[in-house]
Coordinates of all heavy atoms in Angstrom, one line a residue:
D157 N 160.1 150.3 95.2 CA 160.1 150.9 93.9 C 160.1 152.5 94.1 O 160.5 153.2 93.2 CB 158.9 150.5 93.1 CG 159.0 149.1 92.7 OD1 160.1 148.6 92.5 OD2 157.9 148.5 92.5
G158 N 159.7 153.0 95.2 CA 159.6 154.4 95.5 C 159.3 154.7 96.9 O 159.0 153.8 97.7
V159 N 159.3 156.0 97.2 CA 159.0 156.4 98.6 C 157.5 156.5 98.7 O 156.8 157.0 97.8 CB 159.6 157.8 98.9 CG1 159.3 158.3 100.3 CG2 161.2 157.7 98.7
P160 N 156.9 156.1 99.8 CA 155.5 156.2 100.1 C 155.1 157.7 100.0 O 156.0 158.6 100.2 CB 155.3 155.7 101.5 CG 156.5 154.7 101.7 CD 157.6 155.3 100.9
T161 N 153.9 158.0 99.8 CA 153.4 159.4 99.8 C 153.6 160.0 101.2 O 153.7 159.3 102.2 CB 151.9 159.5 99.4 OG1 151.1 158.9 100.5 CG2 151.7 158.8 98.1
R162 N 153.6 161.4 101.2 CA 153.7 162.1 102.5 C 152.7 161.6 103.5 O 153.0 161.4 104.6 CB 153.7 163.6 102.2 CG 153.9 164.4 103.5 CD 153.8 165.9 103.2 NE 154.8 166.3 102.2 CZ 156.0 166.6 102.4 NH1 156.5 166.6 103.6 NH2 156.8 167.0 101.4
E163 N 151.4 161.6 103.0 CA 150.3 161.2 103.9 C 150.6 159.8 104.5 O 150.4 159.5 105.7 CB 149.0 161.2 103.2 CG 148.5 162.6 102.9 CD 148.3 163.5 104.2 OE1 147.9 162.9 105.2 OE2 148.6 164.7 104.1
E164 N 151.0 158.8 103.6 CA 151.3 157.5 104.1 C 152.5 157.5 105.1 O 152.5 156.7 106.1 CB 151.6 156.6 102.9 CG 150.4 156.3 102.0 CD 150.8 155.6 100.7 OE1 152.0 155.7 100.3 OE2 150.0 154.9 100.2
R165 N 153.5 158.3 104.8 CA 154.7 158.3 105.7 C 154.3 158.8 107.1 O 154.7 158.3 108.1 CB 155.8 159.2 105.1 CG 156.4 158.7 103.8 CD 157.8 159.3 103.5 NE 157.8 160.7 103.6 CZ 157.6 161.5 102.6 NH1 157.2 161.1 101.5 NH2 157.7 162.8 102.8
Y166 N 153.5 159.9 107.1 CA 153.1 160.4 108.4 C 152.1 159.5 109.1 O 152.2 159.4 110.4 CB 152.5 161.8 108.2 CG 153.6 162.9 108.3 CD1 154.1 163.5 107.1 CD2 154.1 163.4 109.5 CE1 155.0 164.4 107.1 CE2 155.1 164.3 109.5 CZ 155.5 164.9 108.3 OH 156.5 165.8 108.4
A167 N 151.3 158.9 108.4 CA 150.3 157.9 109.0 C 151.1 156.7 109.6 O 150.8 156.3 110.8 CB 149.3 157.4 108.0
R168 N 152.0 156.2 108.9 CA 152.9 155.1 109.4 C 153.7 155.7 110.6 O 153.9 155.0 111.6 CB 153.8 154.6 108.3 CG 154.8 153.6 108.8 CD 155.8 153.1 107.7 NE 156.9 152.4 108.3 CZ 157.0 151.1 108.5 NH1 155.9 150.4 108.3 NH2 158.1 150.6 109.0
G169 N 154.2 156.9 110.4 CA 155.1 157.5 111.5 C 154.3 157.6 112.8 O 154.9 157.3 113.9
A170 N 153.0 158.0 112.8 CA 152.2 158.1 114.0 C 152.0 156.7 114.6 O 152.1 156.6 115.9 CB 150.9 158.7 113.7
E171 N 151.7 155.7 113.8 CA 151.5 154.4 114.4 C 152.9 153.8 114.9 O 152.9 153.1 115.9 CB 151.0 153.4 113.3 CG 149.5 153.7 112.9 CD 149.0 152.7 111.9 OE1 149.7 151.7 111.6 OE2 147.9 152.9 111.3
F172 N 153.9 154.1 114.2 CA 155.3 153.7 114.6 C 155.6 154.3 116.0 O 156.1 153.6 116.9 CB 156.3 154.2 113.6 CG 157.6 153.5 113.6 CD1 158.0 152.6 112.5 CD2 158.5 153.7 114.6 CE1 159.2 152.0 112.5 CE2 159.8 153.1 114.6 CZ 160.1 152.2 113.6
A173 N 155.3 155.6 116.2 CA 155.6 156.2 117.4 C 154.8 155.6 118.6 O 155.3 155.3 119.7 CB 155.3 157.7 117.4
D174 N 153.5 155.3 118.3 CA 152.7 154.6 119.3 C 153.3 153.2 119.7 O 153.3 152.8 120.8 CB 151.3 154.4 118.8 CG 150.5 155.7 118.8 OD1 150.8 156.6 119.6 OD2 149.6 155.9 117.9
A175 N 153.8 152.5 118.6 CA 154.3 151.2 118.9 C 155.6 151.3 119.7 O 155.8 150.5 120.7 CB 154.6 150.5 117.5
V176 N 156.5 152.2 119.4 CA 157.8 152.3 120.1 C 157.5 152.7 121.5 O 158.1 152.1 122.5 CB 158.7 153.3 119.4 CG1 159.9 153.6 120.3 CG2 159.2 152.7 118.1
V177 N 156.7 153.7 121.8 CA 156.4 154.1 123.1 C 155.7 153.0 123.9 O 156.0 152.8 125.1 CB 155.5 155.4 123.1 CG1 155.0 155.7 124.5 CG2 156.3 156.6 122.6
G178 N 154.8 152.3 123.3 CA 154.1 151.2 123.9 C 155.1 150.1 124.3 O 155.0 149.5 125.4
L179 N 156.0 149.8 123.4 CA 157.0 148.8 123.7 C 158.0 149.2 124.8 O 158.3 148.4 125.7 CB 157.8 148.5 122.4 CG 157.0 147.7 121.4 CD1 157.7 147.7 120.0 CD2 156.8 146.2 121.8
W180 N 158.4 150.5 124.8 CA 159.2 151.0 125.9 C 158.4 150.8 127.3 O 159.0 150.3 128.2 CB 159.5 152.4 125.7 CG 160.6 152.7 124.7 CD1 161.5 151.8 124.2 CD2 160.8 154.0 124.0 NE1 162.3 152.4 123.2 CE2 161.9 153.7 123.1 CE3 160.2 155.2 124.1 CZ2 162.4 154.8 122.3 CZ3 160.7 156.2 123.4 CH2 161.8 156.0 122.5
D181 N 157.1 151.1 127.2 CA 156.3 150.9 128.5 C 156.2 149.5 128.8 O 156.1 149.1 130.0 CB 155.0 151.6 128.3 CG 155.0 153.1 128.2 OD1 156.0 153.7 128.7 OD2 154.0 153.7 127.8
S182 N 156.2 148.6 127.8 CA 156.0 147.2 128.1 C 157.2 146.6 128.9 O 157.1 145.7 129.7 CB 155.9 146.4 126.9 OG 157.1 146.2 126.2
A183 N 158.4 147.2 128.7 CA 159.6 146.8 129.5 C 159.4 147.2 130.9 O 160.0 146.5 131.8 CB 160.8 147.4 128.9
R184 N 158.7 148.2 131.2 CA 158.5 148.7 132.6 C 157.3 147.9 133.3 O 157.4 147.5 134.4 CB 158.2 150.2 132.7 CG 158.1 150.7 134.1 CD 157.7 152.2 134.1 NE 156.4 152.5 133.6 CZ 156.0 153.0 132.5 NH1 156.9 153.3 131.6 NH2 154.7 153.2 132.2
T185 N 156.2 147.7 132.5 CA 155.0 147.2 133.1 C 154.9 145.6 133.0 O 154.2 145.0 133.8 CB 153.8 147.8 132.5 OG1 153.7 147.3 131.1 CG2 153.8 149.3 132.6
G186 N 155.6 145.1 132.1 CA 155.5 143.7 131.8 C 154.3 143.3 131.0 O 154.1 142.1 130.7
E187 N 153.5 144.3 130.6 CA 152.3 144.0 129.8 C 152.6 144.1 128.4 O 153.3 144.9 127.9 CB 151.2 145.0 130.2 CG 150.8 145.0 131.7 CD 149.7 146.0 132.0 OE1 149.3 146.8 131.0 OE2 149.4 146.2 133.1
E188 N 152.0 143.1 127.6 CA 152.3 143.1 126.2 C 151.5 144.2 125.4 O 150.4 144.6 125.8 CB 151.8 141.8 125.6 CG 152.7 140.6 126.0 CD 152.5 139.4 125.1 OE1 151.6 139.4 124.2 OE2 153.2 138.4 125.3
L189 N 152.2 144.7 124.4 CA 151.6 145.7 123.5 C 150.8 145.0 122.4 O 151.3 144.0 121.9 CB 152.6 146.6 122.9 CG 152.1 147.5 121.7 CD1 151.2 148.6 122.3 CD2 153.3 148.1 120.9
S190 N 149.6 145.4 122.1 CA 148.8 144.9 121.0 C 148.4 146.1 120.2 O 147.5 146.8 120.6 CB 147.6 144.1 121.5 OG 146.9 143.6 120.4
L191 N 149.0 146.2 119.0 CA 148.7 147.3 118.1 C 148.3 146.7 116.8 O 149.2 146.1 116.1 CB 149.8 148.3 118.0 CG 149.6 149.6 117.2 CD1 150.5 150.7 117.7 CD2 149.9 149.4 115.7
D192 N 147.1 147.0 116.3 CA 146.7 146.5 115.0 C 146.2 147.7 114.2 O 145.1 148.1 114.2 CB 145.6 145.5 115.1 CG 145.2 144.8 113.8 OD1 145.9 145.1 112.8 OD2 144.2 144.0 113.8
G193 N 147.2 148.3 113.5 CA 146.9 149.6 112.7 C 146.8 149.3 111.3 O 146.9 148.2 110.8
E194 N 146.6 150.4 110.6 CA 146.5 150.4 109.1 C 147.8 150.1 108.4 O 147.9 149.4 107.4 CB 145.9 151.7 108.6 CG 145.7 151.7 107.1 CD 145.2 153.1 106.6 OE1 144.8 153.9 107.4 OE2 145.1 153.3 105.4
H195 N 148.9 150.5 109.1 CA 150.2 150.4 108.5 C 151.1 149.4 109.2 O 152.1 148.9 108.7 CB 150.9 151.7 108.4 CG 150.2 152.7 107.6 ND1 150.4 152.9 106.2 CD2 149.2 153.6 107.9 CE1 149.7 153.8 105.7 NE2 148.9 154.3 106.7
L196 N 150.8 149.2 110.5 CA 151.7 148.3 111.4 C 150.9 147.4 112.2 O 149.8 147.8 112.7 CB 152.6 149.2 112.3 CG 153.6 150.1 111.6 CD1 154.2 151.1 112.6 CD2 154.7 149.3 111.0
R197 N 151.4 146.2 112.5 CA 150.8 145.3 113.5 C 152.0 144.9 114.4 O 152.9 144.3 113.9 CB 150.2 144.1 112.8 CG 149.5 143.1 113.7 CD 148.9 142.0 113.0 NE 147.9 142.4 112.1 CZ 147.3 141.6 111.2 NH1 147.7 140.3 111.1 NH2 146.3 142.1 110.4
V198 N 151.8 145.1 115.7 CA 152.8 144.8 116.6 C 152.2 144.1 117.8 O 151.2 144.7 118.4 CB 153.6 146.0 117.1 CG1 154.7 145.6 118.1 CG2 154.3 146.8 115.9
S199 N 152.7 143.0 118.2 CA 152.1 142.3 119.4 C 153.3 141.7 120.2 O 154.0 140.8 119.6 CB 151.1 141.2 118.9 OG 150.6 140.5 120.1
G200 N 153.4 142.1 121.4 CA 154.5 141.5 122.2 C 155.0 142.6 123.2 O 154.5 143.6 123.4
R201 N 156.2 142.3 123.8 CA 156.8 143.2 124.8 C 158.3 143.0 124.6 O 158.9 142.0 124.2 CB 156.4 142.9 126.2 CG 156.8 141.5 126.7 CD 156.5 141.3 128.2 NE 157.4 142.2 129.0 CZ 158.3 141.6 129.8 NH1 158.4 140.3 129.9 NH2 159.1 142.4 130.4
L202 N 159.0 144.1 125.0 CA 160.5 144.1 125.0 C 161.0 143.3 126.1 O 160.4 143.2 127.2 CB 161.0 145.5 125.1 CG 160.8 146.4 123.8 CD1 161.4 147.8 124.1 CD2 161.4 145.8 122.6
C203 N 162.1 142.6 125.9 CA 162.8 141.8 126.9 C 163.8 142.6 127.7 O 164.4 142.1 128.6 CB 163.4 140.6 126.3 SG 162.2 139.5 125.4
A204 N 164.1 143.8 127.2 CA 165.1 144.6 127.9 C 164.7 145.1 129.2 O 163.4 145.2 129.5 CB 165.5 145.8 127.0
P205 N 165.6 145.5 130.1 CA 165.2 146.1 131.4 C 164.4 147.5 131.1 O 164.5 148.1 130.1 CB 166.5 146.4 132.1 CG 167.5 145.5 131.4 CD 167.0 145.4 130.0
A206 N 163.7 147.9 132.1 CA 163.0 149.2 132.1 C 164.0 150.3 131.9 O 165.1 150.3 132.4 CB 162.1 149.4 133.3
S207 N 163.5 151.4 131.3 CA 164.3 152.6 131.2 C 164.7 153.2 132.5 O 163.8 153.4 133.3 CB 163.6 153.6 130.3 OG 164.2 154.9 130.4
P208 N 165.9 153.6 132.7 CA 166.3 154.3 134.0 C 165.6 155.7 134.1 O 165.6 156.2 135.2 CB 167.8 154.4 133.9 CG 168.2 153.4 132.9 CD 167.1 153.3 131.9
Q209 N 165.1 156.2 133.0 CA 164.5 157.5 133.1 C 163.0 157.5 132.8 O 162.3 158.5 132.5 CB 165.2 158.5 132.1 CG 165.2 158.0 130.6 CD 165.8 159.0 129.7 OE1 165.8 160.2 129.9 NE2 166.4 158.5 128.6
G210 N 162.4 156.3 133.0 CA 161.0 156.1 132.7 C 160.7 155.6 131.3 O 160.2 154.5 131.1
R211 N 161.1 156.4 130.4 CA 161.2 155.9 129.0 C 162.2 156.9 128.3 O 162.4 158.0 128.7 CB 159.9 155.9 128.3 CG 159.3 157.3 128.1 CD 158.1 157.3 127.1 NE 157.0 156.6 127.6 CZ 155.7 157.1 127.5 NH1 155.5 158.3 127.0 NH2 154.7 156.4 127.9
P212 N 162.9 156.4 127.2 CA 163.8 157.3 126.5 C 163.0 158.6 126.0 O 161.8 158.6 125.8 CB 164.2 156.5 125.3 CG 164.1 155.1 125.8 CD 162.9 155.1 126.7
V213 N 163.8 159.7 125.9 CA 163.2 161.0 125.5 C 162.8 160.9 124.0 O 163.6 160.3 123.2 CB 164.2 162.1 125.7 CG1 163.7 163.4 125.0 CG2 164.3 162.4 127.2
L214 N 161.7 161.4 123.6 CA 161.2 161.3 122.2 C 161.2 162.7 121.6 O 160.5 163.6 122.2 CB 159.8 160.7 122.2 CG 159.1 160.7 120.8 CD1 159.9 159.9 119.8 CD2 157.7 160.1 120.9
F215 N 161.9 162.9 120.5 CA 161.9 164.1 119.8 C 161.1 163.9 118.5 O 161.2 162.8 117.9 CB 163.3 164.6 119.5 CG 163.7 165.7 120.3 CD1 164.1 165.5 121.6 CD2 163.8 167.0 119.8 CE1 164.6 166.5 122.4 CE2 164.2 168.1 120.6 CZ 164.6 167.8 121.9
Q216 N 160.5 164.9 118.0 CA 159.9 164.9 116.6 C 160.5 166.0 115.8 O 160.7 167.1 116.3 CB 158.4 165.1 116.7 CG 157.7 165.0 115.4 CD 157.6 166.4 114.7 OE1 157.5 167.4 115.4 NE2 157.5 166.5 113.4
A217 N 161.0 165.7 114.6 CA 161.6 166.7 113.8 C 160.7 167.2 112.7 O 160.1 166.4 112.0 CB 162.9 166.1 113.1

Side-chain angles (χ1 to χ4, degrees):
D157 293 331
V159 179
T161 67
R162 185 181 300 275
E163 290 299 323
E164 290 172 334
R165 294 200 310 272
Y166 273 98
R168 174 184 165 88
E171 290 184 11
F172 198 109
D174 286 331
V176 169
V177 170
L179 287 165
W180 287 340
D181 289 344
S182 76
R184 184 184 71 253
T185 66
E187 299 177 3
E188 290 196 356
L189 169 71
S190 180
L191 186 151
D192 189 5
E194 182 179 350
H195 299 270
L196 294 169
R197 181 181 298 172
V198 181
S199 179
R201 62 172 290 249
L202 291 180
C203 300
S207 165
Q209 57 180 332
R211 67 168 65 135
V213 167
L214 174 61
F215 257 77
Q216 181 270 332

